[in-house]
Amino acid sequence: MLSKGDDFPLHQTPEPVAYSGSDRNFYDRYFFNGYSPDGETFFALAFGIYPVLDVADAHFCVIRGGKQYCLHTSRKLGMERMELSCGGVSIEVLEPLNRLRLRVEGEGLAAEITFAGRAFPIEEPRFIWKRGPRTIMDYTRMTQNGRYEGWISVDGARSDLPPGTMGTRDRSWGIRPIGLPDPQTPKVLPQFFWQWTPINLPDRSLFFHLNAHPDGSPWNTRAVSVPDGTGESDQVHTDDAKLTTVLQSGSRWPANANLDIGDETFAIEPIARFQMRGLGYTSPKWGHGLDHGDLEIEREDIDLAAIDPVRPDNLHVQILCCVTGDSGEEGLGVFEQLAIGEYAPLGLTGLSDPA
């Protein structure tokens, strides 16, 4: 059961706020992405708190002219979990479970953006993943599509977000691998397969995700349809969904896909690619929970046309996509994928061997 407290980094266990506890790998995280109706603007922000490691980090990225401009920040948490700011990136919860404000200022990047949910957020099935006796992941996540207003500036060139800018935000908390790796982790070839497709249609939101074993069998999956302006009881959850994916040749990135939910089918066609390492995901230097001291801030500019698609830290992507339903519905969404190691349904072998 979600409550207003679940929009604040107060969690002590993978359960909602009613429970408490501790674990070295405990984290509490905000994530946002947004895109303009024409697909020309894409931005994302992430903010993480790691109470046992006493670290907070935040990242902001925006794509312009084929480049992804990134601001990375990290600081000592100082055991204060309600301070939602880090090196010029901050989050303000205006109305829990509905409206939040993002501010960015640093290294030539600036923004002030407000998110407003289209409907009550969904609570996804609890993510529990074990490897032998080890619990690798155990967390809860809520996800919400919404509308954005505000502006973004890159090196002094400021532009307002156009009307109709939408996107997705999520909040997750629990246990994930964070900070430095555990030296006693079994030495086996890593494997992790993840797909996520939050979609904004004219009058409703669609969500699908899949975590799967190397043979393709899911260990966590769900599809949800959420009409605009509705509450939790109006959400339609189902496991009757399948995402059929084609990969780009020479990479592990999605080229296109069809999403089947019940008797509906949606064609997913890419517009632009976003590298998740810009938000710290799989980044060798800016990985989540790494200790950079009292405060460290760094800018990174990524030339999206020049990166190596099979370098391990480039595997994790979000692809902005046009989405068209067989009933004529049209919208925009994101296809996120991280495929590390073997995955038989797509013919993937090795750590990062391409399709």
Side-chain angles (χ1 to χ4, degrees), residues 56 68 140 191 208 229 258 265 321:
Q68 181 174 321
T140 290
Q191 191 279 330
F208 170 82
N258 282 331
T265 298
C321 298

Side-chain angles (χ1 to χ4, degrees), residues 41-272:
T41 297
F42 188 97
F43 64 89
L45 183 148
F47 188 105
I49 287 175
Y50 318 96
V52 181
L53 301 181
D54 203 31
V55 169
D57 53 34
H59 313 264
F60 174 77
C61 301
V62 60
I63 294 176
R64 285 189 178 174
K67 287 190 176 181
Q68 181 174 321
Y69 299 95
C70 313
L71 177 65
H72 304 288
T73 71
S74 174
R75 66 171 174 86
K76 285 291 188 183
L77 182 62
M79 300 182 68
E80 177 49 74
R81 298 176 63 181
M82 291 299 293
E83 182 60 47
L84 300 183
S85 65
C86 183
V89 179
S90 66
I91 296 173
E92 181 182 2
V93 180
L94 302 174
E95 181 185 344
L97 305 180
N98 187 19
R99 295 180 65 244
L100 299 93
R101 180 171 293 136
L102 317 177
R103 291 186 174 93
V104 179
E105 183 65 55
E107 304 298 309
L109 301 180
E112 184 169 321
I113 301 167
T114 300
F115 172 93
R118 298 182 64 182
F120 194 82
I122 68 169
E123 180 180 352
E124 297 169 345
R126 183 165 164 183
F127 293 78
I128 302 176
W129 182 39
K130 296 180 181 290
R131 184 182 296 145
R134 299 292 187 91
T135 298
I136 307 300
M137 291 183 172
D138 185 359
Y139 66 91
T140 290
R141 189 171 81 155
M142 69 179 190
T143 302
Q144 184 178 38
N145 280 358
R147 299 177 175 87
Y148 288 99
E149 295 179 347
W151 56 267
I152 298 174
S153 176
V154 178
D155 296 329
R158 172 173 161 165
S159 60
D160 292 336
L161 296 178
T165 296
M166 293 191 182
T168 304
R169 68 111 177 187
D170 71 48
R171 287 276 293 109
S172 66
W173 56 89
I175 298 166
R176 284 185 183 179
I178 59 170
L180 295 174
D182 184 343
Q184 289 187 275
T185 298
K187 304 302 181 184
V188 297
L189 185 68
Q191 191 279 330
F192 187 77
F193 187 81
W194 163 252
Q195 292 180 321
W196 181 44
T197 60
I199 297 167
N200 280 285
L201 295 171
D203 301 310
R204 61 171 173 156
S205 298
L206 292 181
F207 305 92
F208 170 82
H209 75 265
L210 170 69
N211 274 127
H213 297 293
D215 64 0
S217 58
W219 59 265
N220 194 305
T221 188
R222 183 64 57 88
V224 190
S225 177
V226 183
D228 276 7
T230 58
E232 192 170 18
S233 63
D234 299 292
Q235 300 171 1
V236 179
H237 293 244
T238 180
D239 293 327
D240 182 17
K242 180 181 180 181
L243 186 64
T244 303
T245 307
V246 176
L247 299 182
Q248 295 182 30
S249 178
S251 81
R252 292 189 171 207
W253 300 333
N256 57 72
N258 282 331
L259 175 61
D260 295 297
I261 301 178
D263 58 1
E264 296 183 288
T265 298
F266 299 87
I268 299 175
E269 295 291 339
I271 300 173

Side-chain angles (χ1 to χ4, degrees), residues 6 25 27 69 110 123 125 156 207 275 310 333:
D6 287 320
N25 282 335
Y27 79 101
Y69 299 95
E123 180 180 352
F207 305 92
Q275 296 298 141
V310 296

